[in-house]
Amino acid sequence: MRALNFNGGPAALPLPVLKTVAAETLDWRGTGMSIMENSHRAKEVVAMAEETQADLLSLLGLGREWKVLFCQGGASLQFAMIPLNFAPEGETCDYIDTGLWSTKAYQEAQICGAKAHLAATSKADDYTYIPGEFNFSAKPRYIYLTSNNTVRGTQWASFPKNPPAPLIADMSSEFLSRPLDLSDFVLVHAGAQKNVGPAGLTIVLIRPEWAETGKKNLPHMLDYRTYIEHDSMFNTPPVFAIYVAGLTFKWLRDEIGGLEKMRELNKAKADFLYQAIDNSGGFFRGTARKDSRSPMNVTFRLPNEELEKDFLAEAKKVGMAGLNGHRSVGGMRASIYNAVDMAAVRTLVEFMAEFQRKRG
Amino acid sequence: MRALNFNGGPAALPLPVLKTVAAETLDWRGTGMSIMENSHRAKEVVAMAEETQADLLSLLGLGREWKVLFCQGGASLQFAMIPLNFAPEGETCDYIDTGLWSTKAYQEAQICGAKAHLAATSKADDYTYIPGEFNFSAKPRYIYLTSNNTVRGTQWASFPKNPPAPLIADMSSEFLSRPLDLSDFVLVHAGAQKNVGPAGLTIVLIRPEWAETGKKNLPHMLDYRTYIEHDSMFNTPPVFAIYVAGLTFKWLRDEIGGLEKMRELNKAKADFLYQAIDNSGGFFRGTARKDSRSPMNVTFRLPNEELEKDFLAEAKKVGMAGLNGHRSVGGMRASIYNAVDMAAVRTLVEFMAEFQRKRG
């Protein structure tokens, strides 16, 4: 039986995507080989990769001023590549600190020799909200933010207006969950393992014009230009993960109906779950400030840790996985990414009500 | 129908491994989720990753003085990480140049600021052999070599004796094809996409003691210590690729019977194919010097390029894939990795004889 998967990432993938993967494992598109066994330079594979890039741009409504890169190493490698390329040798770059992953990005920029400036942080309030006021430096090269905070369950509802420098964002845990206006952005990165596909693929959206402003003579695999010039095939890319991403993009387009529709579905799920929390008379307590709540990661607490432990154990018994909060903060977290449907959220809400009835 | 897969990489995987992957796609080990949907921190996944590391050490007969790392970015990222860690700030390191990939490693070391010294090269003879004499520098930090040259079809039969510094090798295209004596080595890297699993995973074997001698305060994802300290789970590793690697290791152990047996099987396949080439009266010509021939990648030419084109086209028609040489050198290449069995090689040899009969 399939579990109800509330994992924070790696996370649930669409069932039709998995069924296609299973069916094609021994023979992908009539090649007589698995996609894992095909050469990345075979024309069928190159065509698949190009189609995947085109489908993604089309989903996001982006034109050819953007390029889709298939990178590896997760957000953690992006934390280094961004300052190495764009703020080397002590140049100033601004960071907005909204929790674990933006803190790491900020620290990594310092390791890489950038002059990283903290333009805002909600640390004093336990990262329960997204800051609305910023103390930008005089001339930053870029402004970095994490658009959805998986750990704290917060999300930027809208991005800084008229920023004094281009925006760069880690969108890993909300990527493709809603339409995005990227006019003020030059680079967006997203680990595949939330809404896209298996871990081991990092999607980078970048404006090639901006990439050209980067430091020259970096190691090839750390230079965004390498990926742009070779269309992400300077060396062997993570072909299988790209293939699964491609299937997911087609699912989003053909079965969901695009990102606006996806946003509506995600909003309906999140509203339903947050309402259940808010209407529990304080038994369940949301940890994020209401104006900063993430529709992807719903974080909440129970009256005490013993009840939380029991809640997790009982949830597991009835086939609900991944409801524990991130190990750095504890508590509960229901990650309701694109592939988690309303039926799963309803089952969770019913389970919560039943648990409260018995133990509240 | 399954193709006869002679791809240079990504390459053939064992059929039993693929069948397991297909069968477990919707429900891995009773978790009710694909391995792609399981958290990398779930106890079942951590146990799988640890078992995969242990199985690999056991296959290679290595003890706890070695550590298995799951990296990303392929050999190309290793080309940078090695000098960044071990020869930063102009330290000397020696490179042996046996073709495309070692040339790239050598050049990348220079980009990274190392003082890279060429201790030997077979470039003048078109990389047709593995050098036997070396002009090592006075005090290199390490000596770097590529143990099997996929492009040129050459392989080191034995490694430099009493080297003046620890050896580091790219073993991507021969990894797990034979037992190895790693006494003189401190680091070995291998892209998974030849004998191990899907592209997107780079296996690194490293002596933690040696890793400790590396430069401090590097970006986390470029520092081998990060992988050692966090058992390759500093961030989300490429879980699916690790899972497939684990299945392949068990196949090698349980179905093949270990690396000595694998070496025998590989030798039998290579001997059979090289004999067919040598006994063709010059119609097929091996490109590598006989003492340097690779049992993994068998490179050869036909009398002219028109015949080569026809050979490839006819081979494809009868279901044989990947017989074209690397795009940088042309010609033919039959990659006969672990998962390509003797039956496939026999079919190829019969096809070659028939082609010669008709066109020779």
Side-chain angles (χ1 to χ4, degrees), chain B residues 77 83 87 142-143 209 218 255 261 278 284-285 293 312 325 339:
Chain B
L77 188 57
Y142 61 80
I143 298 162
E209 226 173 53
L218 281 167
E255 301 195 34
K261 185 71 189 163
D278 293 342
F284 299 106
R285 283 176 298 111
R293 280 174 165 176
L312 287 177

Side-chain angles (χ1 to χ4, degrees), chain A residues 1-3 5 7 10-11 13 26 32-33 36-38 40-41 72-73 108 193 219-221 235 237 240 327, chain B residues 1-3 5 7 10-11 13 26 32-33 36-38 40-41 72-73 108 199 219-221 235 240 327:
Chain A
M1 197 191 70
R2 292 271 297 164
N5 186 345
N7 276 330
L13 291 171
L26 298 191
M33 301 176 253
M36 296 177 259
E37 302 174 292
N38 266 273
H40 59 299
R41 310 242 178 245
Q72 298 180 58
E108 202 74 17
Q193 67 271 19
H220 280 89
M221 294 297 286
N235 68 345
F240 177 80
R327 59 204 173 111
Chain B
M1 199 190 69
R2 290 273 295 165
N5 186 345
N7 275 331
L13 291 172
L26 297 192
M33 299 177 253
M36 296 178 259
E37 302 173 293
N38 267 272
H40 59 299
R41 311 243 178 244
Q72 299 180 59
E108 201 75 16
H220 281 90
M221 294 298 286
N235 68 345
F240 177 79
R327 60 205 171 109

Side-chain angles (χ1 to χ4, degrees), chain B residues 112-131:
Chain B
C112 293
K115 192 171 161 195
H117 165 81
L118 215 52
T121 175
S122 48
K123 186 178 181 182
D125 291 296
D126 239 7
Y127 297 116
T128 47
Y129 69 95
I130 301 293

Side-chain angles (χ1 to χ4, degrees), chain B residues 56-112:
Chain B
L56 178 55
L57 290 177
S58 158
L59 269 173
L60 287 160
L62 297 176
R64 289 295 164 176
E65 71 279 14
W66 285 90
K67 184 94 181 165
V68 177
L69 312 184
F70 300 127
C71 298
Q72 299 180 59
S76 298
L77 188 57
Q78 296 301 311
F79 296 165
M81 280 177 69
I82 290 162
L84 286 174
N85 278 264
F86 302 117
E89 290 136 29
E91 284 179 73
T92 302
C93 45
D94 284 11
Y95 281 74
I96 301 171
D97 176 29
T98 53
L100 182 71
W101 298 105
S102 47
T103 308
K104 285 190 183 220
Y106 170 65
Q107 290 168 344
E108 201 75 16
Q110 294 171 305
I111 289 173
C112 293

Side-chain angles (χ1 to χ4, degrees), chain B residues 95-243:
Chain B
Y95 281 74
I96 301 171
D97 176 29
T98 53
L100 182 71
W101 298 105
S102 47
T103 308
K104 285 190 183 220
Y106 170 65
Q107 290 168 344
E108 201 75 16
Q110 294 171 305
I111 289 173
C112 293
K115 192 171 161 195
H117 165 81
L118 215 52
T121 175
S122 48
K123 186 178 181 182
D125 291 296
D126 239 7
Y127 297 116
T128 47
Y129 69 95
I130 301 293
E133 294 186 11
F134 314 104
N135 169 32
F136 292 121
S137 60
K139 272 202 164 188
R141 272 285 277 154
Y142 61 80
I143 298 162
Y144 183 99
L145 58 87
T146 311
S147 71
N148 187 86
N149 299 279
T150 334
V151 175
R152 301 290 179 164
T154 62
Q155 185 178 98
W156 290 72
S158 64
F159 299 109
K161 303 275 178 259
N162 304 313
L167 300 180
I168 290 180
D170 175 357
M171 296 200 173
S172 293
S173 52
E174 68 140 310
F175 195 58
L176 300 183
S177 70
R178 55 173 173 170
L180 288 167
D181 176 4
L182 295 183
S183 335
D184 290 333
F185 288 83
V186 288
L187 191 161
V188 163
H189 63 92
Q193 66 272 19
K194 318 283 186 179
N195 276 329
V196 171
L201 169 65
T202 316
I203 304 265
V204 172
L205 295 169
I206 193 168
R207 293 182 192 264
E209 226 173 53
W210 166 259
E212 277 307 320
T213 69
K215 179 175 159 67
K216 296 237 166 19
N217 213 25
L218 281 167
H220 281 90
M221 294 298 286
L222 302 178
D223 187 332
Y224 289 106
R225 280 172 292 226
T226 303
Y227 299 82
I228 294 171
E229 282 161 25
H230 297 270
D231 217 356
S232 299
M233 294 229 187
F234 173 71
N235 68 345
T236 317
V239 178
F240 177 79
I242 295 169
Y243 152 73

Side-chain angles (χ1 to χ4, degrees), chain A residues 117-170:
Chain A
H117 165 81
L118 215 52
T121 175
S122 48
K123 186 177 181 183
D125 291 296
D126 238 7
Y127 297 116
T128 47
Y129 68 94
I130 301 294
E133 291 186 13
F134 314 104
N135 169 31
F136 293 120
S137 60
K139 271 202 165 190
R141 273 284 277 155
Y142 60 80
I143 298 161
Y144 184 99
L145 59 88
T146 311
S147 71
N148 187 86
N149 300 279
T150 335
V151 175
R152 301 291 180 163
T154 61
Q155 185 178 98
W156 289 72
S158 64
F159 300 109
K161 303 279 178 257
N162 304 312
L167 300 180
I168 291 181
D170 176 357

